[in-house]
């Protein structure tokens, strides 16, 4: 059974995203690009960090002065770069955590997706380590508080030969060598982070790491404005001979330190490590339905065109040299541990054609649990008996808006694994065989697709911009594409009513007398 709390949160997420769609447009919705925005903020942090490294003085006596100089004497440039560095770091933490929450709510973290989720957990530690060491480099009172607290936190583990906290007993104990080591760590950790981010998206085909241009411009202007209005400021310089005074912490990076102060290192470590282990194991703790069988290739019907490899969202289909006497050089091979059974590969196969003269419609690659032949038969069955004006066949995604409530004397519905598994030739087939007067294709909103790329591929195929294309002779006024999340049931019903009204105003198509409606099951 589904979790009612999670369902309520997911519906709330979809409503928030609907608001963003209305405000900035679907293409620029930041909720659809949280991962890509994290990449963008990383590059801002990296570029601004390189600039700040140039004037930085790696000595205990002058570290604070070097940062203070560019913040005050060069506030118009150096100060703004420092503020950009700080606020872009905070923004990366925010988008990273929102990305994690969103993937959990949409259930895109278990099954074959475990790798991206599992490798994402170490990224959290690396991001926080980068941020905390960056605050140390300022060497103000906040840095002193973080340095002493972190040292005592690490000393509690008892794995170091000597106490780390002894380096902060007094001014004489702190040497310039510490800052040289610190800046090395602050540079090395982000480099490891970059490599880990690459590993994180390794199993995702066509991973988007570049946000849309309007979103980039808007985010950049926001960071620049924030840097000018509320520039990053240092606390008074650190003094190890006295305790720190009132601090203004960055809660994006320092949320665990008050817990350490009040409950001690054992509780702080238990929370940090326990949360990380829990997150890492979530893909195997998730309640989910039985995994569907992966796609299967039919060697006699595969001509090695390779289109299925381009359309697979997770790189589960690859081309391999062919060893038989078919005359084709390559054949598609499915990697079962990466396949989500979305069916996009089946829709892309050039053998997915309901018009081919055959008792059974066989394709080069198919989904065993929902084969193309079964899809044709179900469409014929769902359209059989439709009466009245404006007969419509609704084809949609099982993860989007519920379709059953749309059924009626003039409306047939069929839910697919993903709208991306719908071959355009089936739309042609429905209209050509007079199975319906119109076809309404409904898909999850782009960015909310359970299988990532279903809405995009469907839109491009129907527009004739991606193979397989919807045939040019198919009347476009009898085909409609409607985006609908699971919370937009009423909107989809209204769109269907408007579509049927539009169909009623169209002249009836002229069909050959030999055209007969067929029932396949």
């Amino acid at each position: 059974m589904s979790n009612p709390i999670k369902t309520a949160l997911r519906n709330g997420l979809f409503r928030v995203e609907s608001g963003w769609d209305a405000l900035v447009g679907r293409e620029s919705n930041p909720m659809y690009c949280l991962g890509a925005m994290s990449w963008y903020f990383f590059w801002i942090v990296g570029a601004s960090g390189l600039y700040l490294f140039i004037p930085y003085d790696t000595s205990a006596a002058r570290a604070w002065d070097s940062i203070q100089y560019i913040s005050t004497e060069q506030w118009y440039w150096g100060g703004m770069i420092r503020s950009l560095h700080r606020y872009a770091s905070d923004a990366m933490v925010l988008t990273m955590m929102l990305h994690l929450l969103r993937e959990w709510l949409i259930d895109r973290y278990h099954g074959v997706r475990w790798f991206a989720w599992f490798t994402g957990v170490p990224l959290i530690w690396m991001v926080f380590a980068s941020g905390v060491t960056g605050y140390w480099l300022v060497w103000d009172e906040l840095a002193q508080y973080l340095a002493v607290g972190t040292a005592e936190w690490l000393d509690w583990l008892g794995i170091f030969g000597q106490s780390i906290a002894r380096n902060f007993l007094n001014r004489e104990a702190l040497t310039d060598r510490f800052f040289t080591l610190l800046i090395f760590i602050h540079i090395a950790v982000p480099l490891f982070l970059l490599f880990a981010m690459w590993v994180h998206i390794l199993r995702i085909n066509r991973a988007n790491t570049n946000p849309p241009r309007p979103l980039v411009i808007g985010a950049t202007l926001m960071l620049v404005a924030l840097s000018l209005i509320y520039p990053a400021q240092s606390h008074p310089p650190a003094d190890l001979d006295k305790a720190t005074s009132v601090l203004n912490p960055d809660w994006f990076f320092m949320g665990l330190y008050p817990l350490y102060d009040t409950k001690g290192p054992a509780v702080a470590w238990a929370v940090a490590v326990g949360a990380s282990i829990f997150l890492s194991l979530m893909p195997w703790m998730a309640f989910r339905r039985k995994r569907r069988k992966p796609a299967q290739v039919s060697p006699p019907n595969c001509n090695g065109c390779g289109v299925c490899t381009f359309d697979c969202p997770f790189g589960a289909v690859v081309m391999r040299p062919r060893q038989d006497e078919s005359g084709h050089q390559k054949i598609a091979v499915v990697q079962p541990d990466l396949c989500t059974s979305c069916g996009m590969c089946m829709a892309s196969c050039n053998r997915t054609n309901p018009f081919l003269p055959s008792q059974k419609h066989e394709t080069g690659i198919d989904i065993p649990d929902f084969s193309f032949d079964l899809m044709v038969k179900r469409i014929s069955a769902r359209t059989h008996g439709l009466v009245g004006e404006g007969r419509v066949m609704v084809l949609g995604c099982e993860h989007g808006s519920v379709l059953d409530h749309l059924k009626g004397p003039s409306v047939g519905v069929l839910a697919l694994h993903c709208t991306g598994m719908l071959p355009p030739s089936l739309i042609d087939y429905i209209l050509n065989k007079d199975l319906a007067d119109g076809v309404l294709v409904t898909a999850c909103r782009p960015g909310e697709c359970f299988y990532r790329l279903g809405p995009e591929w469907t839109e491009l195929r129907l527009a004739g911009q991606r193979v397989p294309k919807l045939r040019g002779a198919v009347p476009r006024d009898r085909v409609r594409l409607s985006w609908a999340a699971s919370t937009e049931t009423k909107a989809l019903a209204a769109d269907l009513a408007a579509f049927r009204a539009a169909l009623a105003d169209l002249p009836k198509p002229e069909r050959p007398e030999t055209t007969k409606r067929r029932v396949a099951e």
Side-chain angles (χ1 to χ4, degrees), residues 81 106 192-193 197 420 483:
I81 295 297
I106 307 180
F192 280 109
L193 172 62
M197 290 166 66
W483 311 114

Side-chain angles (χ1 to χ4, degrees), residues 313-327:
F314 300 98
V317 186
V318 294
M319 302 305 296
R320 294 284 187 260
R322 195 156 187 163
Q323 306 297 332
D324 55 23
E325 299 178 355
S326 64

Side-chain angles (χ1 to χ4, degrees), residues 348-359:
S348 67
C349 181
N350 54 26
R351 291 283 301 178
T352 309
N353 189 342
F355 293 100
L356 293 177
S358 174
Q359 292 296 323

Side-chain angles (χ1 to χ4, degrees), residues 226-288:
L226 193 60
S227 299
L228 294 175
I229 298 173
Y230 298 105
Q233 299 291 336
S234 302
H235 289 71
D239 186 351
L240 294 176
D241 291 333
K242 65 178 183 179
T244 55
S245 58
V246 179
L247 301 176
N248 182 26
D250 183 347
W251 294 111
F252 286 97
F253 287 97
M254 305 170 193
L256 278 178
Y257 283 87
L259 179 65
Y260 167 80
D261 291 338
T262 56
K263 300 297 182 180
V267 174
W269 275 118
V271 171
V273 176
S276 300
I277 294 175
F278 179 78
L279 286 173
S280 299
L281 296 179
M282 278 180 63
W284 296 275
M285 297 163 54
F287 172 81
R288 57 190 184 278

Side-chain angles (χ1 to χ4, degrees), residues 95-403:
T95 53
M96 176 182 67
M97 301 310 292
L98 285 176
H99 180 58
L100 182 149
L101 176 63
R102 187 174 185 272
E103 295 303 293
W104 172 70
L105 287 177
I106 307 180
D107 276 336
R108 300 197 299 197
Y109 67 96
H110 54 73
V112 301
R113 306 164 191 255
W114 71 268
F115 182 81
W117 180 273
F118 186 81
T119 56
V121 176
L123 300 182
I124 301 175
W125 282 84
M126 294 183 189
V127 168
F128 280 92
S130 301
V132 170
T133 54
Y135 274 101
W136 283 15
L137 290 171
V138 180
W139 201 234
D140 56 3
E141 289 185 347
L142 179 60
Q144 177 182 336
Y145 164 77
L146 292 174
V148 174
T150 305
E152 293 175 349
W153 200 359
L154 293 173
D155 283 342
W156 183 85
L157 295 175
I159 60 176
F160 301 98
Q162 294 180 332
S163 171
I164 302 176
R166 67 183 180 85
N167 294 295
F168 307 104
L169 292 176
N170 49 54
R171 293 182 183 179
E172 290 72 23
L174 187 66
T175 64
D176 295 348
R177 185 180 301 175
F178 168 77
F179 285 90
T180 302
L181 175 63
L182 188 59
I183 201 165
F184 171 79
I185 295 174
H186 189 59
I187 294 175
V189 173
L191 291 177
F192 280 109
L193 172 62
L194 179 61
F195 174 75
M197 290 166 66
W198 172 75
V199 173
H200 176 62
I201 62 173
L202 202 56
R203 287 193 175 188
I204 300 176
N205 197 17
R206 298 177 180 271
N208 181 21
T209 59
N210 297 314
R213 181 175 296 179
L215 199 53
V216 168
I217 295 174
T220 304
L221 292 177
M222 178 192 69
L223 290 177
V224 171
L226 193 60
S227 299
L228 294 175
I229 298 173
Y230 298 105
Q233 299 291 336
S234 302
H235 289 71
D239 186 351
L240 294 176
D241 291 333
K242 65 178 183 179
T244 55
S245 58
V246 179
L247 301 176
N248 182 26
D250 183 347
W251 294 111
F252 286 97
F253 287 97
M254 305 170 193
L256 278 178
Y257 283 87
L259 179 65
Y260 167 80
D261 291 338
T262 56
K263 300 297 182 180
V267 174
W269 275 118
V271 171
V273 176
S276 300
I277 294 175
F278 179 78
L279 286 173
S280 299
L281 296 179
M282 278 180 63
W284 296 275
M285 297 163 54
F287 172 81
R288 57 190 184 278
R289 57 180 175 268
K290 183 179 178 181
R291 182 180 173 184
R292 289 167 171 153
K293 295 179 180 179
Q296 292 181 355
V297 176
S298 173
N301 295 302
C302 178
N303 60 11
C305 66
V307 177
C308 54
T309 65
F310 303 140
D311 282 7
C312 180
F314 300 98
V317 186
V318 294
M319 302 305 296
R320 294 284 187 260
R322 195 156 187 163
Q323 306 297 332
D324 55 23
E325 299 178 355
S326 64
H328 302 298
Q329 294 182 348
K330 294 185 177 182
I331 186 172
V333 176
V334 177
Q335 303 177 86
D337 58 327
L338 299 180
C339 180
T340 60
S341 306
C342 64
M344 294 186 209
C345 56
M346 178 191 72
S348 67
C349 181
N350 54 26
R351 291 283 301 178
T352 309
N353 189 342
F355 293 100
L356 293 177
S358 174
Q359 292 296 323
K360 183 178 181 181
H361 300 91
E362 296 182 344
T363 64
I365 186 168
D366 215 337
I367 304 299
D369 295 334
F370 201 159
S371 66
F372 177 63
D373 184 65
L374 179 60
M375 190 185 303
V376 175
K377 291 178 179 178
R378 286 188 176 177
I379 286 177
S380 297
R382 303 293 168 85
T383 55
H384 179 60
L386 295 183
V387 295
E389 297 293 331
R391 296 170 298 137
V392 174
M393 182 63 197
V394 181
L395 302 169
C397 174
E398 64 183 7
H399 296 280
S401 181
V402 179
L403 303 181

